[in-house]
Amino acid sequence: MNKIEKTFDINIILMTLFSSLEAIREEKNIELIYDMEATIPRELRGDPAVLQHLLTQTLNFVFKYTDQNEIILSLSAPEDFVYEEAISFKIKSTNIAKEKVLAFLESNLSKDLEKLDGKIIYEKDADIHLDIPFMINELGYRRHYRLPDVSMLGKKVLLICESPKVAQSIKKMFNYFLYDVDVGLEAFKERGNDLTPYDILIVEDKFNTDALEHMIAKIQQNMALKYVLLQDDHHVETKIISVSTHLVKPVTEESVFELIIALFKNERDHEEIKTEVKENIIDLEKMLQAHKHNEKHVNPSSKYEENLQSMIERKRGLDLPVLDKKAGEENTKNMGLKYANELKNFLDSFERSDIYFRQIVNEKAINKIKEFSVDLEKHAKLIGAESILKLAETVSLIFVYNKLDMLPIYPGKYHIELQKLITEIKKELKIK
């Protein structure tokens, strides 16, 4: 059997996997957490379609039979990923009978594992353990994420998150970039409730309050503190003056990488000095307890639904460039890519995608529309295609609020925006 060897980004596989499982995750109220070791390469060569199918089957089975509300999919690889190595995919603590797990693995995954040259590992410390060999896409690179400036390394983070498992997963990903991470209020109180040592404060959005925002904004006048909200995927970003940006679940190594660049890419243009002043003291515990006390009176879903139309209107009112060359060149440079090559790749991938988009909307192929939107957002953001990125984000909002009756108007809008973008790309590439 000839193995398929395509280059793919493991993070795209994980994000698509997360989206494809949305219905059962929400039905069972299960949080899927990715625990990625630093040894996992960003880009691999193999068969991404079969890997996607295998992981989707596996997690569908786990979600169907588990009674746990948090499931961790861990990915690990050898320290020296030289050429071709096995990546281990493990799921522990499902509380599913061992016999049922083994029966599923051996009867449902054998064909996919054969195509991938993968195997089931039988061990006591994991309910499910699959080893699958992949080739590395870039030979000779040990660090798979390279920040564009050494000044971005070695920051200090305070992370306030409800789930210890989510917190430990995020901490590990920041550790890759030599970041020192304190998790929880106890660690913060040991430092005297002083935010001065920290470069980044990450707070899960369910704990965010107006009082906390105003306090952080005041502290930001004294120190260069980045305030980040950790959000569930179904929440919509809102503009809050003290919030620097958002970190959206599920968190992957790549999303942490992009977060760091977003926070510190212009840091050298306006460096600020931390000051030892008493205004940096904050009683976070008191503010978070106040939130918990009032939590039962808030219905987040109704609040967000009321804002759907206003969010779409706000995006519609933005006057964004069709192709922001400066932003695209900066994005591709940060990722070690050539701008012209990525413009050509976008053209090859999306030149006739308006036909495909219209077709899947007419077919109401929800999963295909979601996957297309994620793929379009990723590529549009990379090349600086701001106006079409806005449209893709608007389509995502429609899914967030389950307002699928609004979708039919967007194939026409996409066709118009795509033709404008193709014209600009061909001008840039000097294609007639």
Side-chain angles (χ1 to χ4, degrees), residues 246-265:
H246 301 72
L247 181 60
V248 179
K249 298 177 188 176
V251 179
T252 65
E253 196 78 73
E254 185 154 310
S255 60
V256 170
F257 172 74
E258 291 176 346
L259 174 74
I260 292 171
I261 290 177
L263 291 176
F264 298 109
K265 63 182 177 181

Side-chain angles (χ1 to χ4, degrees), residues 224-242:
L225 178 69
K226 310 297 185 184
Y227 182 36
V228 177
L229 287 186
L230 175 64
Q231 296 186 209
D232 288 332
D233 66 308
H234 60 275
H235 285 175
V236 178
E237 296 182 9
T238 54
K239 184 63 178 174
I240 302 167
I241 191 168
S242 60

Side-chain angles (χ1 to χ4, degrees), residues 220-338:
Q220 286 170 334
Q221 296 174 10
N222 302 317
M223 59 180 289
L225 178 69
K226 310 297 185 184
Y227 182 36
V228 177
L229 287 186
L230 175 64
Q231 296 186 209
D232 288 332
D233 66 308
H234 60 275
H235 285 175
V236 178
E237 296 182 9
T238 54
K239 184 63 178 174
I240 302 167
I241 191 168
S242 60
V243 174
S244 305
T245 189
H246 301 72
L247 181 60
V248 179
K249 298 177 188 176
V251 179
T252 65
E253 196 78 73
E254 185 154 310
S255 60
V256 170
F257 172 74
E258 291 176 346
L259 174 74
I260 292 171
I261 290 177
L263 291 176
F264 298 109
K265 63 182 177 181
N266 297 319
E267 196 71 1
R268 287 196 166 186
D269 298 338
H270 44 80
E271 290 185 356
E272 300 176 65
I273 301 174
K274 294 180 183 179
T275 57
E276 298 282 347
V277 293
K278 64 181 182 180
E279 284 80 9
N280 295 345
I281 305 297
I282 177 173
D283 190 345
L284 270 177
E285 184 175 29
K286 182 178 178 180
M287 291 188 170
L288 299 184
Q289 284 178 342
H291 166 80
K292 288 182 178 180
H293 179 72
N294 295 320
E295 193 174 39
K296 60 185 178 183
H297 302 296
V298 180
N299 185 343
S301 60
S302 62
K303 174 184 174 183
Y304 287 121
E305 286 176 14
E306 290 171 5
N307 289 333
L308 171 60
Q309 196 59 44
S310 63
M311 293 293 289
I312 292 177
E313 290 297 329
R314 182 169 63 81
K315 286 183 177 292
R316 188 178 295 160
L318 294 174
D319 185 17
L320 297 173
V322 174
L323 186 65
D324 187 334
K325 180 179 178 181
K326 183 177 179 181
E329 287 178 333
E330 185 176 352
N331 292 339
T332 50
K333 181 181 177 182
N334 288 338
M335 299 184 70
L337 303 170
K338 291 184 178 179

Side-chain angles (χ1 to χ4, degrees), residues 36-51:
M36 301 176 68
E37 295 291 342
T39 52
I40 300 295
R42 181 185 197 170
E43 290 190 333
L44 298 163
R45 290 189 62 77
D47 192 331
V50 175
L51 175 61

Side-chain angles (χ1 to χ4, degrees), residues 82-115:
V82 180
Y83 176 63
E84 183 178 61
E85 302 289 350
I87 292 182
S88 292
F89 298 84
K90 294 184 182 181
I91 303 175
K92 301 180 180 181
S93 305
T94 63
N95 208 24
I96 304 173
K98 194 73 173 178
E99 300 77 19
K100 182 175 284 190
V101 172
L102 291 177
F104 164 78
L105 293 176
E106 293 172 355
S107 63
N108 292 69
L109 300 187
S110 56
K111 289 184 179 179
D112 283 348
L113 285 171
E114 183 180 354
K115 291 176 184 177

